[in-house]
Amino acid sequence: MNQAVTGVGDFAESLAALLSELLVALREGRDVTAPLAQVCRSIVDSMPVDGAAVSLMVDGKHRALVLASDPVIEHLDSLQFSLGEGPSFEAYETGRPVLVPDLSQRLPASWPVFATEAGAAGFSGIFAFPLRRGAARIGAVDTYRRAAGWLTDDELGTILRGIDLVTSALLAVATAGVSGEPGNNVVSGLVRDRATVHQATGIVIAEFGIPAGQALARLRAYAYSEDKLLDEVARDIVERRLHPREIER
């Protein structure tokens, strides 16, 4: 489990200072990649859980990993992306925290396949939180615990305060121009680009003449049937080890 801070007040004060540094860098037109990464990393490393990840999302369909505390949560993020379901999708779409303290006692109706896979991997508790401000939704934070059990009030308060500051940081950067180039913002520098999936989707579209949503659904279905991650199948198609016709079922 990540090392917890000594108290909610210290945690919020530390993150507030980092956020202040980020905002100063934005006002002065300096590179804000490092302070933004520090804000996000601080919340992830300070969470009273075994692992956490921050993801940006658009329309509940397009998903990009910003930060992951460890390879385990990064794999779980890839699994969600492959299946098109999971706690962060639910948190993003509903705008509410998703709290599942014991996967062995509750199989969530909205993401049963992911829950089964996560449980088989040895994870007991899954907690996901939306990154939102008013009506604006920009992503979600996933956390996991190996031992079952609820978050305490203090732990939940710590996480919610931290997520609020991460949301502020991401929104500040996302709405600020960087280097004077329209559409260029530093958030893209933190995102793990899934360009290969987009390329593979385009190849499937060209092969079958179908909409993008259907093409991505076919890729996901094939990946699931072959017990592979979507990223793996996409690489096989782009690098011509797998022909698009072979994924047709």
Side-chain angles (χ1 to χ4, degrees), residues 47-225:
M47 282 184 173
V49 290
D50 290 315
V54 179
S55 296
L56 295 177
M57 302 175 72
V58 179
D59 298 330
K61 300 176 183 178
H62 306 288
R63 175 189 179 86
L65 181 65
V66 176
L67 284 173
S69 64
D70 56 73
V72 174
I73 193 72
E74 186 170 356
H75 176 75
L76 290 180
D77 179 85
S78 296
L79 182 61
Q80 286 192 81
F81 182 69
S82 296
L83 296 172
E85 68 170 47
S88 64
F89 283 102
E90 182 178 345
Y92 175 87
E93 290 167 0
T94 64
R96 297 190 301 271
V98 176
L99 309 175
V100 184
D102 190 347
L103 286 170
S104 68
Q105 298 298 317
R106 173 192 162 194
L107 195 65
S110 58
W111 36 282
V113 179
F114 175 83
T116 300
E117 295 284 347
F123 305 113
S124 296
I126 298 285
F127 308 97
F129 305 86
L131 292 168
R132 62 175 298 179
R133 182 61 46 78
R137 295 175 296 170
I138 60 173
V141 173
D142 279 315
T143 71
Y144 74 87
R145 276 181 163 174
R146 290 187 173 87
W150 282 102
L151 296 167
T152 67
D153 289 345
D154 282 348
E155 288 171 339
L156 184 58
T158 295
I159 292 174
L160 291 175
R161 285 169 174 79
I163 285 175
D164 184 59
L165 288 171
V166 168
T167 302
S168 296
L170 290 171
L171 283 174
V173 172
T175 56
V178 176
S179 302
E181 297 182 15
N184 177 25
N185 71 65
V186 76
V187 172
S188 62
L190 292 176
V191 169
R192 311 279 183 91
D193 188 15
R194 284 193 164 109
T196 304
V197 174
H198 300 314
Q199 292 172 6
T201 302
I203 291 172
V204 175
I205 291 171
E207 181 70 27
F208 295 103
I210 57 178
Q214 291 183 23
L216 183 58
R218 289 194 184 188
L219 288 169
R220 280 179 166 146
Y222 180 83
Y224 180 71
S225 69

Side-chain angles (χ1 to χ4, degrees), residues 21-22 24-26 28-36 173 178-179 186:
E21 178 185 345
L22 170 64
V24 169
L26 279 173
E28 294 178 352
R30 293 187 279 115
D31 181 12
V32 297
T33 302
L36 177 60
V173 172
V178 176
S179 302
V186 76

